Amino acid sequence: SSVSDLMSGLMMLFLLIAIAYMLNVAEGQRKVKRIAVTYQEIQLSLYNDLMNEFKEDLPKWKAHIDQKTLAIQFMEPDILFSLGKAEINERFREILDDFFPRYMAIICSDKFRDSVEEIRIEGHTSSEWGNREVSLDEAYFNNMALSQERTRSVLSYCYHLDSVVEYKNFMRSHITANGLSSSQPILFKDGTENTKLSRRVEFRTRTNADQRIVQILDELQYD
């Protein structure tokens, strides 16, 4: 009858809708899995490779690798620069001679080269300025100039190492020098500034994992 034909047609329509919904959910689950895999492949894999390469050197360099930001932080100010100066100390030159070619070999490997968006050489200072009384504004801008000079010194030194000649094209397009003054201090647990550890240099690796994850989320949104 026409009623049974109508019911059969509706059942078939509901079945097709259910199948389409199940397929869409399955595709969504696959894309969510891609997000996790993308992050793991880029961020965690790079962190693990950096740790495996430098774990024995970090203590003697007074350095640390931040897993969240992939920043290699050189945390001993007396090793880095003389107070108020931008010229690299001899000990830090020796560390850079050892560290930077090995670092670039990892970054420029086939495994990571296409995933690295930027390498930021960051210079950080404490909020203090010398031994004289100055305003907070004056200290901030004096330290801004100093931190910028220091990062340019580090970049210039690393760039002109004979051991990284093969990476120069990549370096020109991916490495930046960033002086951040005292804008990101290291704090004690009570919230006061650790002025010693605030004076540091970081090699921060920015990958394109976030961009790729946003792209996947956009695909999910508009499916």
Side-chain angles (χ1 to χ4, degrees):
S1 68
S2 59
V3 174
S4 61
D5 291 342
L6 177 61
M7 292 300 297
S8 298
L10 288 173
M11 289 179 62
M12 181 61 68
L13 177 60
F14 290 142
L15 178 61
L16 291 174
I17 291 173
I19 292 173
Y21 175 77
M22 291 170 61
L23 290 174
N24 190 54
V25 169
E27 179 62 20
Q29 290 174 337
R30 281 193 293 271
K31 288 181 177 179
V32 169
K33 184 178 180 180
R34 278 173 54 203
I35 291 176
V37 169
T38 295
Y39 186 84
Q40 182 176 21
E41 285 180 345
I42 299 175
Q43 298 285 128
L44 295 184
S45 182
L46 180 52
Y47 171 77
N48 289 334
D49 282 15
L50 290 172
M51 279 299 299
N52 289 335
E53 178 66 29
F54 296 118
K55 60 186 175 183
E56 295 182 2
D57 300 299
L58 294 173
K60 64 183 179 182
W61 291 347
K62 301 291 190 284
H64 168 75
I65 301 179
D66 187 302
Q67 182 173 352
K68 182 179 179 181
T69 64
L70 297 177
I72 301 177
Q73 304 168 325
F74 294 91
M75 306 292 289
E76 182 52 65
D78 294 335
I79 290 177
L80 307 177
F81 305 94
S82 298
L83 188 64
K85 303 296 183 182
E87 183 179 355
I88 303 170
N89 283 343
E90 183 61 32
R91 175 59 184 142
F92 194 30
R93 290 172 183 262
E94 294 172 356
I95 291 173
L96 292 173
D97 290 343
D98 186 11
F99 157 73
F100 193 68
R102 295 158 61 193
Y103 176 65
M104 290 305 299
I106 294 173
I107 296 299
C108 291
S109 66
D110 292 339
K111 187 175 180 181
F112 299 115
R113 187 183 186 95
D114 293 336
S115 299
V116 172
E117 188 74 18
E118 179 187 17
I119 297 171
R120 294 171 55 90
I121 302 177
E122 294 185 351
H124 300 264
T125 70
S126 70
S127 60
E128 300 173 328
W129 179 255
N131 297 318
R132 61 189 179 89
E133 287 292 328
V134 298
S135 69
L136 290 176
D137 290 345
E138 185 178 357
Y140 173 75
F141 281 101
N142 286 346
N143 280 316
M144 180 66 74
L146 178 62
S147 62
Q148 290 173 343
E149 290 177 24
R150 286 176 169 177
T151 55
R152 284 197 296 268
S153 294
V154 173
L155 175 54
S156 178
Y157 185 80
C158 291
Y159 183 83
H160 290 98
L161 289 173
D162 292 337
S163 52
V164 296
V165 170
E166 62 185 296
Y167 307 124
K168 279 193 172 181
N169 287 338
F170 181 90
M171 292 168 65
R172 282 194 296 267
S173 60
H174 290 80
I175 298 184
T176 60
N178 304 268
L180 299 176
S181 187
S182 56
S183 61
Q184 297 180 18
I186 302 295
L187 304 178
F188 290 112
K189 290 183 178 179
D190 64 3
T192 59
E193 180 182 358
N194 185 328
T195 55
K196 181 178 179 180
L197 294 187
S198 291
R199 301 195 298 269
R200 66 197 189 276
V201 170
E202 300 186 7
F203 287 75
R204 186 184 297 262
T205 309
R206 285 183 56 244
T207 72
N208 57 17
D210 291 345
Q211 295 179 9
R212 290 165 64 175
I213 288 172
V214 168
Q215 182 180 358
I216 295 170
L217 290 173
D218 285 343
E219 292 173 6
L220 278 173
Q221 180 178 352
Y222 292 108
D223 279 350

